[in-house]
């Protein structure tokens, strides 16, 4: 039986960027949403292959504004034989005087906890569920707001820590994840935080759709352009 298209695109990213290597211990951020759930399903599927020589654990970080995994999703992970850990973080309690709560702060605190957990428990890689659209939206935000050409790379080795961040969904458009999740019947949690101030991300998403006409092929070419730089024709 052929692998789903989503899995084949992840396989391509894994091969081209060496995202999964022999002996890896990978910590997967499990938000409870469709993106990380699809990624966890892929890891569970890949681990059943004869050539598999890696291990992974899903870590969910809950807080005052982030719900625990639903019972339905926990049962789904159990059916995939996925080891799942849960920790609680007081995100609001970490805000310093004069700071405002926002999406960037919340995500930064959760990434910090992922890193600390990985370091404390012997994981050498952290897998995040950022997909093709996320990466291109970040490219536009950094170019238009910061005046720099940068984004979230498929593989990033921390300079200070013995941990590498990987993004196996880098070739996968969000529309494909949505369809895959619907076909699989995932329970998808949506952030309903009252502190959401991620307007730049929403604006970048709208700009990306306008720029590419919503075409997956054009998004793929835009991503490919990041690896096909003609520096002699740039300032």
């Amino acid at each position: 039986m052929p692998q789903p298209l989503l899995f084949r695109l992840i396989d391509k990213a894994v091969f081209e960027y060496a995202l999964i290597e022999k002996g890896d211990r990978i910590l997967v951020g499990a938000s409870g949403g469709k993106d990380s759930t699809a990624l966890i399903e892929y890891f569970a599927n890949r681990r059943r292959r004869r050539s598999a020589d890696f291990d992974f654990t899903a870590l969910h970080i809950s807080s005052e504004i982030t719900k625990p995994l639903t019972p339905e999703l926990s049962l789904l992970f159990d059916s995939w034989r996925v080891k799942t850990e849960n920790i609680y973080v007081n995100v609001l309690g970490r805000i310093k005087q004069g700071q405002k709560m926002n999406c960037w702060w919340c995500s930064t605190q959760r990434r910090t906890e992922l890193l600390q957990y990985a370091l404390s428990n012997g994981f050498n890689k952290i897998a995040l569920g950022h997909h093709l659209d996320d990466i291109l939206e970040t490219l536009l935000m950094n170019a238009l707001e910061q005046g720099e050409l940068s984004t979230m790379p498929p593989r990033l080795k921390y300079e200070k820590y013995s941990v590498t961040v990987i993004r196996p969904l880098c070739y996968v458009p969000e529309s494909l994840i949505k369809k895959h999740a619907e076909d699989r019947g995932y329970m998808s949690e949506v952030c309903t935080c009252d502190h959401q101030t991620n307007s730049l991300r929403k604006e970048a998403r709208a700009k990306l759709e306008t720029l590419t006409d919503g075409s997956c092929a054009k998004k793929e070419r835009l991503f490919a352009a990041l690896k096909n730089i003609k520096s002699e024709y740039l300032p």
Side-chain angles (χ1 to χ4, degrees):
M1 183 177 179
Q3 293 282 356
L5 176 57
L6 179 114
F7 288 2
R8 298 201 300 273
L9 288 175
I10 300 176
D11 278 340
K12 178 183 177 183
V14 168
F15 174 77
E16 293 187 358
Y17 292 101
L19 301 184
I20 300 177
E21 298 169 293
K22 183 177 180 180
D24 275 347
R25 295 193 69 233
I26 303 173
L27 185 65
V28 186
S31 69
K34 66 185 186 318
D35 305 331
S36 64
T37 301
L39 183 57
I40 290 168
E41 183 191 6
Y42 170 82
F43 275 113
N45 179 279
R46 186 182 181 99
R47 192 171 54 184
R48 292 196 295 268
R49 301 179 190 178
R50 287 186 178 182
S51 59
D53 187 11
F54 74 98
D55 195 16
F56 78 97
T57 296
L59 176 64
H60 177 71
I61 300 170
S62 60
S63 68
E64 315 94 306
I65 54 180
T66 305
K67 298 177 182 179
L69 293 177
T70 63
E72 293 86 355
L73 197 54
S74 295
L75 287 173
L76 186 61
F77 288 172
D78 288 342
S79 72
W80 293 339
R81 298 184 180 180
V82 174
K83 181 181 179 183
T84 308
E85 299 290 345
N86 298 273
I87 60 176
Y88 179 84
V89 178
N90 184 1
V91 173
L92 294 178
R94 294 183 178 184
I95 298 177
K96 297 178 181 179
Q97 188 174 3
Q99 285 184 324
K100 288 185 177 181
M101 177 62 189
N102 55 50
C103 295
W104 178 86
W105 173 259
C106 182
S107 62
T108 297
Q109 298 311 303
R110 287 186 280 116
R111 282 197 301 271
T112 297
E113 293 300 324
L114 279 169
L115 175 59
Q116 293 300 325
Y117 190 95
L119 291 171
S120 299
N121 292 276
F123 292 94
N124 67 307
K125 288 180 180 175
I126 297 174
L128 302 177
H130 296 129
H131 47 66
L132 177 63
D133 293 69
D134 289 327
I135 291 172
L136 296 179
E137 289 161 13
T138 301
L139 172 69
L140 293 179
M141 285 193 295
N142 290 347
L144 298 175
E145 302 298 328
Q146 305 298 327
E148 65 178 41
L149 285 176
S150 64
T151 188
M152 301 180 291
R155 179 181 174 125
L156 176 65
K157 176 70 173 67
Y158 280 114
E159 294 182 0
K160 296 182 179 179
Y161 309 106
S162 57
V163 175
T164 298
V165 172
I166 60 175
R167 296 181 171 92
L169 296 173
C170 63
Y171 286 141
V172 183
E174 185 178 23
S175 58
L176 179 59
I177 299 174
K178 286 181 178 178
K179 183 179 185 306
H180 183 91
E182 289 172 358
D183 291 343
R184 292 292 203 264
Y186 293 162
M187 294 293 293
S188 182
E189 290 294 319
V190 178
C191 181
T192 56
C193 171
D194 294 333
H195 302 278
Q196 290 189 75
T197 57
N198 208 8
S199 58
L200 286 178
R201 173 70 63 179
K202 293 177 182 177
E203 291 174 6
R205 183 172 300 132
K207 288 183 174 70
L208 178 63
E209 292 305 303
T210 299
L211 180 65
T212 63
D213 298 321
S215 165
C216 290
K218 290 182 179 180
K219 291 177 183 178
E220 290 169 1
R221 287 195 288 273
L222 182 57
F223 184 90
L226 297 174
K227 301 184 289 181
N228 188 29
I229 299 171
K230 306 294 185 181
S231 58
E232 63 270 28
Y233 294 104
L234 292 175

